């Protein structure tokens, strides 16, 4: 089993499999590798679902990643109409992926976390690679850099110098240019609002994850302590049984000796009477 295999297992098998993999690394003499494996965090429910999608539905995941490339290109070219169409496609594709992950069977919190992770995955090529690898533990793994979800804004280019003899643009073309810029500004404002809301939800989710991880760590320590106590109790029980066995044997020997002494005393008394 490899580290990649860990993230493809059922979520409840992650911890036992991680321990076994670390033990194998230690037995092979790789102490540093074993220590690194033991530090691997168990994926959240949403992260585990995303990892399974990356393995079971790679075509759909690649479609989302490709859409991210198109969104970044459309933003760089400042194509308002194309940008709006691609944004709708992104929403539809994310909805499809959430449906593949479980759809209506998921809680609202997990659904939101899935949507946030898929949205973050199209933000940068680096985040897309993380999604494709299928080894996500929390939504933080996809937070490569603060950015507009699904898009990377390109710096504005300087307008070309106006030629003295340049003719004014036709009114229809100027109106289309203004509409395009207005649509781009509106899309940017909406995206920034979504980022702010998503960041607030992510912060709350990260806090809950850290609290849960601390609880898991404490529970694992308690299990180790209980196992140690159980081992000591079993050893003590074995020693007590051995002591009891010896005591019973000594008691039988003492009882036998007492019987012999009693019979000897009776014989002496009978001889004296004669």
């Amino acid at each position: 089993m490899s580290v990649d295999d860990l993230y493809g297992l059922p979520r409840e098998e992650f911890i036992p499999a991680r321990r076994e993999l670390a033990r194998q690394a230690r037995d092979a003499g790789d102490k540093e590798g074993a220590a690194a494996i033991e530090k691997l965090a168990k994926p959240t429910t949403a992260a585990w679902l995303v990892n399974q999608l990356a393995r079971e539905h790679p075509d759909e995941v690649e479609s989302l990643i490709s859409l991210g490339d198109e969104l970044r290109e459309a933003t760089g070219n400042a194509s308002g109409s194309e940008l709006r169409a691609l944004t709708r496609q992104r929403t539809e594709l994310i909805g499809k992926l959430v449906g593949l992950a479980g759809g209506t069977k998921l809680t609202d919190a997990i659904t939101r976390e899935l949507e946030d992770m898929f949205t973050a995955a199209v933000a940068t090529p680096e985040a897309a690679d993380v999604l494709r690898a299928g080894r996500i533990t929390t939504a933080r793994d996809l937070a490569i850099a603060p950015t507009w979800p699904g898009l990377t804004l390109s710096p504005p280019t300087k307008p070309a110098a106006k030629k003295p003899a340049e003719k004014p643009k036709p009114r229809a073309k100027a109106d289309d240019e203004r509409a395009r810029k207005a649509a781009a500004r509106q899309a940017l404002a909406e995206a920034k609002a979504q980022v702010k809301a998503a960041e607030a939800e992510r912060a709350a989710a990260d806090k809950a994850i850290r609290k849960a991880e601390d609880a898991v760590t404490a529970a694992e320590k308690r299990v180790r302590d209980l196992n140690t106590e159980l081992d000591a109790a079993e050893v003590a029980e074995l020693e007590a049984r051995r002591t009891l066995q010896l005591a019973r044997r000594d008691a039988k020997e003492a009882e036998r000796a007492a019987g012999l002494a009693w019979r000897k005393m009776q014989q002496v008394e009978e001889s004296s009477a004669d």
Side-chain angles (χ1 to χ4, degrees):
M1 177 183 295
S2 66
V3 171
D4 283 331
D5 294 331
L6 281 178
Y7 294 90
L9 294 173
R11 188 166 177 268
E12 62 274 11
E13 296 180 12
F14 184 89
I15 297 299
R18 183 188 64 187
R19 289 174 178 165
E20 175 61 20
L21 190 60
R23 183 192 64 76
Q24 293 175 5
R26 281 194 299 272
D27 291 346
D30 186 5
K31 294 182 179 180
E32 293 183 0
I37 291 171
E38 289 175 342
K39 293 179 181 179
L40 294 174
K42 181 179 180 180
T44 64
T45 299
W48 180 82
L49 289 170
V50 171
N51 292 337
Q52 305 319 301
L53 283 173
R55 288 167 170 77
E56 298 172 6
H57 299 280
D59 292 342
E60 285 76 5
V61 170
E62 288 299 330
S63 295
L64 182 67
I65 293 173
S66 298
L67 185 60
D69 296 336
E70 295 180 35
L71 278 163
R72 287 190 294 274
E73 182 179 356
T75 304
N77 295 333
S79 176
S81 58
E82 183 181 1
L83 178 60
R84 287 191 297 273
L86 291 173
T87 301
R88 285 194 297 271
Q89 291 181 31
R90 180 187 64 179
T91 301
E92 293 171 358
L93 186 51
I94 288 176
K96 179 181 179 180
L97 288 170
V98 171
L100 290 172
T104 57
K105 297 180 181 179
L106 304 176
T107 65
D108 292 342
I110 292 178
T111 298
R112 285 196 299 271
E113 190 174 355
L114 286 171
E115 292 173 345
D116 290 343
M117 284 193 286
F118 289 135
T119 300
V122 298
T124 65
E126 293 79 9
D129 289 339
V130 173
L131 175 66
R132 185 185 287 114
R135 291 175 53 179
I136 301 170
T137 57
T138 71
R140 287 175 292 179
D141 295 345
L142 290 166
I144 304 302
T147 184
W148 181 1
L151 304 174
T152 300
L153 298 180
S154 301
T157 56
K158 295 181 179 180
K162 186 177 180 181
K163 297 179 181 180
E166 184 180 7
K167 296 181 179 180
K169 296 180 179 180
R171 183 177 181 82
K173 188 173 183 180
D175 290 344
D176 182 68
E177 181 72 10
R178 284 193 295 270
R180 180 185 60 77
K181 291 182 178 180
R185 287 194 297 270
Q186 182 180 359
L188 178 59
E190 292 175 354
K192 287 182 176 179
Q194 292 175 6
V195 169
K196 185 175 181 180
E199 287 293 337
E201 292 181 0
R202 185 178 66 180
D206 287 347
K207 183 177 180 181
I209 290 170
R210 288 192 296 272
K211 184 177 179 181
E213 289 175 344
D214 291 341
V216 170
T217 300
E220 289 178 343
K221 182 179 183 302
R222 179 58 177 160
V223 169
R224 289 195 297 270
D225 293 342
L226 288 174
N227 285 333
T228 300
E229 293 177 10
L230 178 60
D231 291 341
E234 289 177 347
V235 172
E237 180 190 13
L238 181 60
E239 289 298 326
R241 289 184 181 277
R242 289 175 179 172
T243 301
L244 176 60
Q245 185 178 7
L246 292 174
R248 285 175 175 171
R249 186 188 64 185
D250 292 344
K252 288 182 179 180
E253 292 293 335
E255 183 179 359
R256 185 181 302 108
L260 292 173
W262 177 259
R263 286 194 296 274
K264 185 175 182 179
M265 183 186 70
Q266 286 181 327
Q267 292 174 355
V268 171
E269 289 178 345
E270 291 174 354
S271 298
S272 299
D274 293 341

